[in-house]
Amino acid sequence: MPELPEVETVARQLAPFLEGREARALRIFDSRLRSGPLPRLRGRRVVSVGRSGKQVLIGFSSSSNGARPVWLAVHLRMTGRLIWSDAGGRVERDHLRGRIEFDRGWLLFYDTRRFGTWSWYASREAAAPAGIDPLSPGLSAARFEKLIGASRQSVKAWLMRQDRLVGLGNIYASEILHAARVSPLRDTGSIATAEARRLHGATRRILRRAIERCGTTFSDFQDARGVTGSYQRFLRVYGRAGERCPRCGARIERIVQQQRSTFFCPGCQH
Ligand SMILES: [Zn+2]
């Protein structure tokens, strides 16, 4: 499941290909990708490509007949991939669920497990998820502390709550807790101010670093399918049960929380 940095990477890599292009036609090949009426894209230009939570958000201008701008939010879920192609009709058809034809090139959506979604909105705000973006300038350390203090659950589960912070999954939650030296088993109610500050700093630092690494490791967005496999070597605890903690040398442990693996160091996370 792609987390925030991978989605940001896909958006950044697609942007130069899509921005300014004029749409010709929208084709949906899988009825599950059709939620509500589809907009008419013909004649609209792509005005922006970015990320909103864990979605790739593509903004289209108003159309020549006066129809309002529209926004496409793509949720990749498990196996969704957005691919830019200028290969015309000679593309792989297996698992192709949607396609937008432009004046030059095609945006293709492949998705073997079909959990990905396309949603259409009238504004960027309407497409925004319920939680706060952890990289948003509005998320101060004080606000972070207030948010975390308002819940009663394990801090690992809290970090993954999409209605609080958007975009963190199993991998980055483990990495953030290790960087902040906080045990995943702690209750959010017991997190002190200094710990909340460390969690806040670690969240933003680790996500920014991951975005940089995704971007440098994958110069071609078509490799987006392999992102999680290849940046594994940058992870300090995730997937490393039994190995030595790079900070204190204790053995990293794997536990299960809410049916998901958590990796942490009992030596330096308290
Ligand atoms: Zn350690």
Side-chain angles (χ1 to χ4, degrees):
M1 177 85 79
E3 299 186 30
L4 184 153
E6 293 82 66
V7 178
E8 176 80 29
T9 301
V10 171
R12 287 186 185 186
Q13 291 179 339
L14 281 173
F17 294 93
L18 283 176
E19 282 172 0
R21 295 262 71 84
E22 187 181 309
R24 291 268 162 80
L26 164 67
R27 288 287 303 275
I28 302 293
F29 304 108
D30 178 353
S31 59
R32 274 165 63 177
L33 208 57
R34 192 189 296 269
S35 64
L38 297 173
R40 207 177 134 77
L41 287 189
R42 189 177 183 83
R44 296 174 187 267
R45 284 194 184 274
V46 174
V47 289
S48 71
V49 180
R51 177 184 62 79
S52 176
K54 284 213 266 192
Q55 308 170 111
V56 175
L57 191 61
I58 303 171
F60 291 89
S61 68
S62 51
S63 66
S64 51
N65 62 11
R68 298 281 189 90
V70 294
W71 300 82
L72 167 62
V74 178
H75 212 308
L76 303 170
R77 305 278 181 203
M78 305 290 283
T79 53
R81 288 187 296 126
L82 281 171
I83 302 289
W84 174 259
S85 168
D86 47 21
R90 305 182 307 280
V91 299
E92 176 66 47
R93 296 301 295 248
D94 285 353
H95 309 297
L96 180 60
R97 298 181 66 202
R99 183 184 76 195
I100 300 175
E101 182 187 346
F102 291 92
D103 49 348
R104 205 191 66 217
W106 287 258
L107 179 67
L108 309 169
F109 184 59
Y110 291 97
D111 189 6
T112 49
R113 296 189 60 183
R114 300 170 66 211
F115 290 122
T117 55
W118 279 21
S119 309
W120 298 92
Y121 296 96
S123 69
R124 172 187 281 277
E125 293 69 34
I132 300 173
D133 195 292
L135 294 179
S136 144
L139 183 63
S140 64
R143 188 164 176 208
F144 185 96
E145 186 187 358
K146 210 169 183 181
L147 269 180
I148 203 169
S151 300
R152 287 292 176 274
Q153 60 192 143
S154 82
V155 63
K156 161 86 181 323
W158 185 84
L159 283 172
M160 291 172 60
R161 272 182 72 162
Q162 301 299 307
D163 62 337
R164 292 300 186 270
L165 298 183
V166 196
L168 296 180
N170 219 26
I171 297 174
Y172 292 109
S174 285
E175 293 296 310
I176 288 164
L177 287 162
H178 180 260
R181 310 195 303 280
V182 171
S183 164
L185 297 162
R186 289 276 298 284
D187 188 275
T188 49
S190 75
I191 299 294
T193 298
E195 292 170 322
R197 291 220 172 113
R198 293 208 301 268
L199 284 167
H200 173 259
T203 299
R204 290 157 76 100
R205 194 169 64 246
I206 282 177
L207 292 176
R208 289 208 180 99
R209 212 178 280 162
I211 289 168
E212 274 169 34
R213 277 169 188 159
C214 285
T216 54
T217 317
F218 302 95
S219 54
D220 178 355
F221 62 85
Q222 298 209 7
D223 288 342
R225 73 189 90 170
V227 161
T228 28
S230 301
Y231 71 63
Q232 284 278 350
R233 65 198 155 107
F234 298 116
L235 302 175
R236 306 193 82 188
V237 286
Y238 188 85
R240 298 193 182 280
E243 293 179 32
R244 296 279 184 194
C245 168
R247 184 165 51 215
C248 75
R251 297 270 183 205
I252 292 162
E253 287 183 12
R254 174 187 171 273
I255 55 171
V256 175
Q257 292 179 289
Q258 299 183 303
Q259 293 91 47
R260 309 287 303 275
S261 292
T262 301
F263 295 88
F264 78 110
C265 171
C268 60
Q269 287 179 254
H270 302 290

